[in-house]
Amino acid sequence: MRKISPGQGWCYLLAVMLWVAVFQPCVRAQTVLKFSPKVMEVLNSPPLELKDDDTELVRLKKQRFNAALNEAKARFDLYKRGLTKLPDMIEVGQRLFTAEVDLYDKPEDRARVLQRHLDIYNEAEGNLERHVKEGLATQADLEQLRYDKATLEIELLNTKNSISPQQPTPQQPAPQPSPP
């Protein structure tokens, strides 16, 4: 067995560090998942404009939405560089969608936004299923997305039910007096 001198040890260590620095980003870049067009549309959307005539509540809701949007953009940048994981992206997406729905008071508007979010989830789910089959994402990531999608579907159904006119419940016949 050949003995390595201290000077050679540093050379080997330097070579390994150089290899990691040069090739590791390439390896990470290859495993970054491609996001669906609807998800990219959300990530590329501009922040909401704060207006002078906004009420304090509207201003706060817009600020919260903008913070979630900016976080999503920042996390996406980290994700592309291999510095964060897919569950972080799913989590910030959920916050962003919740903040957007909360911008609307009318059930009809909320239902429209929720339906758009559901369309995004459906597209993202199909995309993520392909990535799981290719070994690029985990089943756990897919199940988290499915959980969030089901939560969204429940919210959409509840919102739609609040829009539709309430059906009168059938009246129970009045109890008949019993004979003496």
Side-chain angles (χ1 to χ4, degrees), residues 15-174:
V16 169
M17 288 175 55
L18 184 60
W19 182 86
V20 169
V22 170
F23 292 107
Q24 189 65 23
C26 297
V27 171
R28 276 192 225 147
Q30 291 174 0
T31 61
V32 170
L33 304 179
K34 182 179 177 188
F35 284 83
S36 65
K38 288 182 181 182
V39 171
M40 293 309 301
E41 182 180 321
V42 171
L43 288 171
N44 291 324
S45 63
L48 297 175
E49 180 184 340
L50 300 176
K51 298 179 181 174
D52 292 337
D53 61 340
D54 286 342
T55 65
E56 183 178 359
L57 181 60
V58 168
R59 181 177 289 276
L60 288 170
K61 286 180 177 184
K62 285 181 176 181
Q63 287 173 342
R64 179 176 62 176
F65 172 83
N66 288 343
L69 179 62
N70 290 334
E71 180 191 0
K73 290 177 180 190
R75 291 213 184 272
F76 182 66
D77 182 56
L78 291 171
Y79 180 78
K80 288 187 304 188
R81 294 188 289 148
L83 300 174
T84 194
K85 297 187 182 213
L86 186 61
D88 296 333
M89 292 298 301
I90 295 171
E91 187 179 316
V92 72
Q94 183 63 31
R95 282 195 303 279
L96 177 61
F97 286 164
T98 299
E100 183 179 15
V101 170
D102 198 39
L103 291 169
Y104 300 94
D105 293 328
K106 294 181 184 175
E108 297 83 8
D109 294 335
R110 292 173 71 91
R112 181 181 42 79
V113 172
L114 288 167
Q115 184 60 57
R116 185 173 60 81
H117 293 175
L118 184 56
D119 293 343
I120 292 169
Y121 268 97
N122 285 330
E123 187 177 276
E125 182 181 24
N127 200 24
L128 193 53
E129 284 172 344
R130 283 190 303 281
H131 291 307
V132 168
K133 287 177 184 173
E134 296 168 1
L136 299 174
T138 68
Q139 186 67 33
D141 296 337
L142 181 58
E143 295 306 325
Q144 180 183 2
L145 185 123
R146 286 178 174 160
Y147 174 88
D148 291 343
K149 179 183 159 194
T151 301
L152 179 64
E153 288 173 321
I154 292 167
E155 187 175 354
L156 178 58
L157 185 61
N158 286 335
T159 301
K160 285 181 176 180
N161 286 340
S162 74
I163 295 171
S164 62
Q166 299 295 327
Q167 299 294 325
T169 57
Q171 297 276 335
Q172 296 288 332

